[in-house]
Amino acid sequence: MATKAQLRRSQSSKVEDNQQIARKEKFLSDCKPIHSHADSLFSTSSGFTNYYGILNLCFILLVLGNARLFLENIIKYGILINYSYLAEWFLREPYNWPNLLLTVSIVIFPAIALCTEKLLAKGKISNSVGVVIYIINLTVLLLFPAAVIYYLHPVIVFSIFTLGNVTICFLKLISYAHVNYWCRENYANKRLKRRSSSGNIADDQSANNAVNKTLQSYPDNLNVRDLAYFMFAPTLCYELNFPRSARIRKRFLAKRVIEMVFLTWLMVALMQQWIVPAVNNARQPLEEMEIFKMLERLLKLAIPNHLIWLIWFYCFFHSTLNVVAELLRFGDRVFYKDWWNAETVSEFWQHWNIPVHRFAARHIYKPLLNKGFSRLMASTIVFLLSAFFHEYLVSIPLRMFKIWAFMGMAMQVPIAYITSKFVRGKWGNITMWLSLILGQPVAILAYFHDYYVVHSLPLHTNSTT
Amino acid sequence: MATKAQLRRSQSSKVEDNQQIARKEKFLSDCKPIHSHADSLFSTSSGFTNYYGILNLCFILLVLGNARLFLENIIKYGILINYSYLAEWFLREPYNWPNLLLTVSIVIFPAIALCTEKLLAKGKISNSVGVVIYIINLTVLLLFPAAVIYYLHPVIVFSIFTLGNVTICFLKLISYAHVNYWCRENYANKRLKRRSSSGNIADDQSANNAVNKTLQSYPDNLNVRDLAYFMFAPTLCYELNFPRSARIRKRFLAKRVIEMVFLTWLMVALMQQWIVPAVNNARQPLEEMEIFKMLERLLKLAIPNHLIWLIWFYCFFHSTLNVVAELLRFGDRVFYKDWWNAETVSEFWQHWNIPVHRFAARHIYKPLLNKGFSRLMASTIVFLLSAFFHEYLVSIPLRMFKIWAFMGMAMQVPIAYITSKFVRGKWGNITMWLSLILGQPVAILAYFHDYYVVHSLPLHTNSTT
């Protein structure tokens, strides 16, 4: 009996034990080891490279930093934006709005060009007479408004606008003359061909008619309507037959117009609120030539200036040119390429302003290459011409002939040459941005300083104009 | 003859014509049309999405913007960094360095814990007696240094450091007790198993010996050397056998030590130069409770504060903990995961502080789940405990019991719950960053304001301390 009871007790204790074991084993599964051999993520040996979140951080810091600057500015200066002041400025422009009159008067020069082309087409004047007329016409176009602005010195902003229109008209007329010259040569060539392969004239003509049913051909293009279209079209390169879009997209047009109006307002507001105080506060450091304060002012100017430049880029090259193109049903909307990804200086210049780039390539660079110039020589000439027009746009309205704008453009050739040797890829892109961000405010401060020195204005006043 | 001459002339003119045609054709190949139908890149219809260069721009603007702030700060305040002042501060700490004495005295509490474990292992006291001893031991550990600091109020920074060490010791001893308890249960379980499957005891033991030749097993781990290693190891979770690295890598160690020294210097310098003036300048807006100025101050504080926090994160979680681990040949270097990519608040808390996260998961969250608590309830308890320790670290050195730190942590549960419902992906990551960047300076300003109010210090003085 005693043994049986013992056995039973031992058995029941075994069952209890097994239950306990099962219960404990579940519990003990929680306390398995949790440490194991592993590297920290920042150690290069870990091979970890996913820092995607850091990009978001950069973006946030940028927004917050600028939000603070914005608040600081408002607290310090209050609201400086004042549009009635601008309207007054415009209405009070001295000498009965010379800029508006000059802009309207530009129409004379394309008219003369059209007459000249008609005479050339009919063979009434020779090519060399045509060239002389063009040279006189274009020289007057460049010099007459410049002289008027220089002697009447109206409001600087409007003067720059007028001279911008003059420059555009100048380049368009050169393209017009060049293309019509090609067409005349082509026309003569065709007549030669016809003479050399005489017999199948009739066939040739009928085929020509079938293809060119809707297309214009020389000299039918020499009419007011065609030239007027080209003068307003968002391109500097003349063609007899521009690609045309099927219809005006009203939604697209409305969006671009709203962008245009809002961004123009924003630019003027940012300039009044942000650039004007920053430039005015730079007077004292400029007068005293203190290096650290000047550097601080330069950086304070660089960021808003760059933001305004970016807004201006979008507003002009995307919104405005697309509005013009949409209204004219102009098909080619490549006004800019992806310059923001440019990895060399020359890539930037080839991508950011496509109308000017196309003009320079078609009417200056390639003809120079055909004449036997080297590539470096040809691009140097292109940049020197560009430098001349930059200087033209700035010096005459400011009435001072400093060479900052000219040098800024002319230096691009050696800069492009040197940077393409040493920096590439990501660092090339960063170099491109840095030269954009820092180059412009240096030029602005240089002109600002010289303007005050040349016109003997006091640099040390603190009034906010 | 006349016909022959005519024919010859006509033939020679044909040859000339052909030469001319060939020459012209080369020339005319240059004037092919250059315009074609195409959309602008910014138009959505273009399908263009490569804005890689814009990222570089953001990066540059960030660097330039902060370089300017740095210059502005130096021009405005001069160099405020002063290390001799800090050394003086340390040497003059009142009442003979209570913080140093307190930090050294912490060693008593692990000693008591070790004695208790030894008694428990030998079965001389029961589990419940052990729990009582632990509760007394840990309560004294938490309260004694806090009381000393509260009544002697030494330098605040050193007090926070002391209480940090107290907290770490507290958590480590809880883990030590918990793991040893598991081991005792396991040990008892094994004896049960052996009893239930009696006969193959010898086999079992020999197998055990073969596997565990180099590994420690309970109760051999209960010695001073093992506990001391755990107390210094960069982890809060006790284990009988930590993974160990083969040797101390001297180059790695040197790099981390240099980082540690340099980054600590940098943090103190940035605080003296950037945070102290920003906080001092916030006094007047805080006193007057002007909303715009306060917002401006908040943003002015947010960015340097966040940069210092990032430096502190790297300096502590990468450099310092890796130095400690390298010296102790501690194998597990996962002190942080990629919290910068976190897309929800809870992911951030699971990834940024791995020692605390592992402790909370192993010793609080999972045991609570095993006891039948819901996931939400368990994580709420974890965050409330974390909130308690945050408050403990701040309130006692500052001698004021506001609930900002406690609320900051306690709010994480509802914030995590709400944000996980509404924001995900990229916007979740941005939300995470914003709460980090803006949450901390709000807390700093709140404590700063209350500190001046509670201790009746003048908010309107402009002296820079």
Side-chain angles (χ1 to χ4, degrees):
Chain A
M1 280 293 279
T3 8
K4 261 192 180 173
Q6 267 185 329
L7 196 72
R8 210 182 301 132
R9 211 181 302 138
S10 148
Q11 270 176 342
S12 81
S13 107
K14 265 195 182 173
V15 170
E16 261 174 40
D17 284 2
N18 282 334
Q19 282 176 344
Q20 229 176 319
I21 288 165
R23 193 150 32 87
K24 290 276 159 80
E25 236 142 43
K26 191 212 164 296
F27 162 84
L28 288 167
S29 71
D30 289 345
C31 68
K32 48 184 184 283
I34 56 164
H35 296 98
S36 59
H37 281 280
D39 278 319
S40 299
L41 294 185
F42 290 142
S43 297
T44 42
S45 48
S46 78
F48 186 86
T49 53
N50 181 4
Y51 295 104
Y52 138 82
I54 303 291
L55 287 179
N56 286 333
L57 172 66
C58 288
F59 180 74
I60 291 166
L61 287 182
L62 212 57
V63 170
L64 284 186
N66 285 302
R68 188 190 72 75
L69 286 179
F70 179 76
L71 262 177
E72 189 188 63
N73 178 293
I74 294 283
I75 290 167
K76 200 165 168 188
Y77 301 111
I79 304 283
L80 298 177
I81 303 163
N82 187 343
Y83 277 86
S84 61
Y85 181 73
L86 273 187
E88 230 172 89
W89 223 19
F90 184 73
L91 292 171
R92 275 197 201 157
E93 213 208 350
Y95 305 97
N96 294 325
W97 310 356
N99 280 310
L100 198 66
L101 294 175
L102 283 172
T103 306
V104 171
S105 73
I106 289 175
V107 78
I108 300 162
F109 303 91
I112 294 171
L114 181 60
C115 295
T116 316
E117 286 300 335
K118 279 193 171 169
L119 293 174
L120 282 163
K122 287 173 189 161
K124 290 196 176 160
I125 55 172
S126 71
N127 265 343
S128 31
V129 174
V131 166
V132 170
I133 295 175
Y134 261 108
I135 286 175
I136 293 168
N137 191 24
L138 292 177
T139 309
V140 173
L141 170 59
L142 272 192
L143 294 186
F144 173 69
V148 171
I149 284 169
Y150 188 79
Y151 288 107
L152 296 187
H153 49 93
V155 179
I156 291 166
V157 182
F158 299 123
S159 304
I160 292 174
F161 184 77
T162 307
L163 292 183
N165 283 334
V166 165
T167 306
I168 290 169
C169 181
F170 178 85
L171 298 177
K172 284 193 182 207
L173 289 183
I174 283 179
S175 181
Y176 191 67
H178 209 168
V179 171
N180 279 318
Y181 167 68
W182 285 336
C183 287
R184 271 200 307 284
E185 298 289 305
N186 204 5
Y187 195 64
N189 225 26
K190 268 187 194 157
R191 273 189 302 185
L192 275 173
K193 254 191 192 168
R194 245 177 261 151
R195 238 206 292 167
S196 67
S197 59
S198 48
N200 50 2
I201 295 172
D203 291 7
D204 202 43
Q205 263 186 337
S206 67
N208 238 11
N209 283 348
V211 172
N212 294 355
K213 202 182 277 178
T214 56
L215 293 180
Q216 254 188 159
S217 59
Y218 189 81
D220 299 338
N221 66 314
L222 298 176
N223 59 61
V224 175
R225 197 189 143 81
D226 179 81
L227 181 56
Y229 184 86
F230 171 56
M231 292 312 289
F232 287 104
T235 178
L236 298 173
C237 292
Y238 181 65
E239 253 186 284
L240 269 65
N241 299 290
F242 288 112
R244 301 291 288 268
S245 47
R247 60 179 190 88
I248 297 175
R249 293 168 292 172
K250 291 203 182 60
R251 273 178 66 91
F252 180 86
L253 186 66
K255 276 191 214 162
R256 296 292 91 78
V257 167
I258 290 167
E259 276 174 9
M260 224 173 92
V261 172
F262 172 71
L263 292 178
T264 308
W265 175 86
L266 186 65
M267 274 191 288
V268 175
L270 286 176
M271 264 186 231
Q272 290 189 335
Q273 186 72 44
W274 213 357
I275 299 277
V276 171
V279 170
N280 273 320
N281 287 338
R283 285 183 196 183
Q284 211 180 343
L286 277 175
E287 197 189 21
E288 298 167 12
M289 286 286 173
E290 289 170 82
I291 186 74
F292 277 117
K293 282 199 185 173
M294 273 168 74
L295 198 59
E296 196 264 341
R297 279 297 109 184
L298 178 67
L299 291 176
K300 181 129 194 173
L301 194 57
I303 293 168
N305 174 73
H306 188 68
L307 288 181
I308 290 172
W309 184 82
L310 288 178
I311 295 170
W312 172 80
F313 173 82
Y314 185 91
C315 179
F316 184 72
F317 279 88
H318 187 69
S319 308
T320 310
L321 292 186
N322 261 309
V323 163
V324 173
E326 198 66 38
L327 286 173
L328 295 174
R329 299 198 292 107
F330 187 81
D332 192 343
R333 306 296 171 89
V334 182
F335 307 123
Y336 52 88
K337 287 184 182 163
D338 59 333
W339 57 266
W340 48 87
N341 297 336
E343 296 187 341
T344 60
V345 173
S346 53
E347 205 182 330
F348 168 78
W349 288 110
Q350 280 162 33
H351 284 181
W352 96 272
N353 186 339
I354 294 300
V356 166
H357 172 68
R358 277 183 180 160
F359 177 87
R362 191 193 196 200
H363 297 295
I364 313 173
Y365 188 76
K366 280 186 193 165
L368 285 175
L369 288 189
N370 284 342
K371 286 232 159 70
F373 283 76
S374 72
R375 284 174 175 274
L376 184 67
M377 199 64 204
S379 51
T380 305
I381 290 171
V382 167
F383 274 100
L384 287 179
L385 278 171
S386 167
F388 165 76
F389 280 106
H390 275 84
E391 190 60 40
Y392 175 78
L393 286 174
V394 173
S395 293
I396 290 163
L398 291 180
R399 306 180 79 213
M400 58 181 198
F401 297 92
K402 299 291 170 178
I403 48 154
W404 306 125
F406 185 87
M407 288 307 289
M409 283 304 295
M411 288 301 286
Q412 295 301 320
V413 180
I415 288 173
Y417 187 78
I418 292 165
T419 54
S420 70
K421 293 275 171 201
F422 296 107
V423 283
R424 281 256 159 205
K426 192 188 164 188
W427 289 104
N429 187 253
I430 287 175
T431 309
M432 181 277 284
W433 283 114
L434 277 178
S435 62
L436 263 183
I437 295 171
L438 296 179
Q440 290 173 6
V442 166
I444 290 177
L445 283 183
Y447 274 103
F448 182 78
H449 175 259
D450 290 359
Y451 188 76
Y452 272 74
V453 169
V454 166
H455 300 285
S456 328
L457 295 168
L459 267 172
H460 57 270
T461 53
N462 282 317
S463 72
T464 319
T465 47
Chain B
M1 279 293 279
T3 4
K4 260 193 179 174
Q6 266 185 327
L7 196 72
R8 210 182 302 132
R9 210 179 303 136
S10 149
Q11 270 177 340
S12 81
S13 111
K14 268 197 184 173
V15 170
E16 260 175 39
D17 283 0
N18 282 334
Q19 282 176 345
Q20 227 176 321
I21 288 166
R23 194 148 33 86
K24 289 276 157 80
E25 237 143 43
K26 191 211 162 301
F27 161 83
L28 288 168
S29 70
D30 289 345
C31 68
K32 48 184 184 283
I34 56 163
H35 295 97
S36 59
H37 280 281
D39 278 319
S40 298
L41 294 186
F42 290 143
S43 297
T44 42
S45 48
S46 77
F48 186 86
T49 54
N50 181 5
Y51 294 105
Y52 138 82
I54 303 292
L55 286 180
N56 286 334
L57 173 65
C58 287
F59 180 74
I60 291 166
L61 288 182
L62 211 56
V63 169
L64 284 186
N66 285 302
R68 189 192 70 76
L69 286 179
F70 180 77
L71 262 176
E72 189 188 62
N73 178 292
I74 293 283
I75 290 167
K76 200 165 167 189
Y77 300 112
I79 304 284
L80 298 177
I81 303 163
N82 188 343
Y83 277 86
S84 61
Y85 180 72
L86 271 188
E88 233 172 86
W89 223 20
F90 185 73
L91 292 171
R92 277 197 200 156
E93 214 208 350
Y95 304 98
N96 293 325
W97 308 0
N99 279 310
L100 198 66
L101 294 176
L102 283 173
T103 306
V104 170
S105 73
I106 288 174
V107 79
I108 300 162
F109 303 91
I112 293 171
L114 181 60
C115 294
T116 315
E117 286 299 336
K118 277 192 171 170
L119 292 174
L120 282 164
K122 286 172 190 160
K124 291 195 177 160
I125 54 173
S126 71
N127 267 344
S128 32
V129 174
V131 167
V132 170
I133 296 174
Y134 261 107
I135 287 175
I136 295 169
N137 192 25
L138 293 178
T139 310
V140 174
L141 171 59
L142 272 193
L143 295 186
F144 174 69
V148 171
I149 285 167
Y150 189 79
Y151 289 106
L152 296 187
H153 50 90
V155 179
I156 290 165
V157 181
F158 299 124
S159 303
I160 292 173
F161 184 76
T162 307
L163 292 184
N165 283 332
V166 164
T167 306
I168 290 168
C169 182
F170 178 85
L171 298 176
K172 284 193 181 206
L173 289 184
I174 283 179
S175 180
Y176 191 65
H178 209 166
V179 171
N180 279 319
Y181 167 68
W182 285 335
C183 285
R184 272 201 305 284
E185 296 290 304
N186 203 5
Y187 196 62
N189 226 25
K190 268 186 193 157
R191 272 189 303 188
L192 276 173
K193 252 190 192 170
R194 247 174 260 152
R195 239 207 292 167
S196 67
S197 60
S198 50
N200 50 2
I201 297 172
D203 290 8
D204 202 43
Q205 265 187 336
S206 67
N208 240 12
N209 283 347
V211 172
N212 295 355
K213 203 181 275 178
T214 55
L215 294 181
Q216 253 186 158
S217 59
Y218 188 83
D220 301 338
N221 66 314
L222 299 177
N223 59 61
V224 175
R225 199 189 142 79
D226 178 80
L227 181 56
Y229 184 86
F230 172 56
M231 292 312 289
F232 287 104
T235 179
L236 298 173
C237 291
Y238 182 64
E239 254 187 284
L240 269 66
N241 298 290
F242 288 112
R244 301 290 289 271
S245 48
R247 59 178 191 90
I248 296 174
R249 292 168 294 172
K250 290 201 183 62
R251 272 177 67 92
F252 181 87
L253 185 66
K255 277 190 213 161
R256 296 292 90 77
V257 168
I258 291 167
E259 276 175 9
M260 225 173 90
V261 172
F262 172 71
L263 292 177
T264 307
W265 175 87
L266 186 65
M267 275 191 288
V268 176
L270 286 177
M271 267 186 228
Q272 291 190 335
Q273 187 72 43
W274 213 357
I275 299 277
V276 170
V279 170
N280 274 319
N281 287 339
R283 286 184 195 182
Q284 212 180 341
L286 277 175
E287 197 189 20
E288 298 166 12
M289 284 286 170
E290 290 171 84
I291 187 72
F292 277 116
K293 282 197 183 173
M294 272 166 76
L295 197 59
E296 196 264 340
R297 279 298 110 182
L298 178 66
L299 291 176
K300 181 127 194 174
L301 194 57
I303 292 168
N305 174 73
H306 187 69
L307 288 180
I308 290 173
W309 184 82
L310 288 178
I311 295 171
W312 172 80
F313 173 82
Y314 185 91
C315 180
F316 184 72
F317 280 88
H318 187 70
S319 308
T320 310
L321 292 186
N322 261 310
V323 163
V324 173
E326 197 66 38
L327 286 174
L328 294 174
R329 296 198 295 105
F330 186 81
D332 192 343
R333 306 295 171 87
V334 182
F335 308 123
Y336 53 88
K337 286 183 182 163
D338 58 335
W339 57 266
W340 48 86
N341 296 336
E343 295 188 341
T344 59
V345 173
S346 53
E347 205 183 331
F348 169 77
W349 288 110
Q350 281 161 33
H351 283 180
W352 96 270
N353 186 338
I354 294 299
V356 166
H357 172 68
R358 276 183 180 161
F359 176 87
R362 190 194 196 199
H363 297 296
I364 312 174
Y365 187 76
K366 280 186 191 165
L368 285 175
L369 287 189
N370 284 342
K371 286 232 158 68
F373 283 76
S374 72
R375 283 172 175 276
L376 185 66
M377 198 64 204
S379 52
T380 305
I381 290 171
V382 167
F383 274 100
L384 287 178
L385 278 170
S386 167
F388 166 77
F389 281 106
H390 275 84
E391 190 61 40
Y392 174 79
L393 286 175
V394 173
S395 292
I396 290 163
L398 291 180
R399 307 180 78 214
M400 58 181 200
F401 296 93
K402 299 290 171 179
I403 47 154
W404 307 123
F406 185 86
M407 289 307 291
M409 284 304 296
M411 289 300 288
Q412 296 300 321
V413 180
I415 288 173
Y417 187 77
I418 293 164
T419 54
S420 69
K421 293 275 170 202
F422 296 106
V423 283
R424 281 257 158 205
K426 193 188 165 189
W427 289 103
N429 187 252
I430 287 175
T431 310
M432 182 277 284
W433 282 114
L434 277 178
S435 62
L436 263 183
I437 295 170
L438 296 179
Q440 290 173 7
V442 167
I444 291 177
L445 283 184
Y447 273 104
F448 182 77
H449 175 260
D450 290 358
Y451 188 75
Y452 272 74
V453 169
V454 166
H455 300 285
S456 326
L457 295 169
L459 268 171
H460 57 269
T461 53
N462 282 316
S463 71
T464 318
T465 48

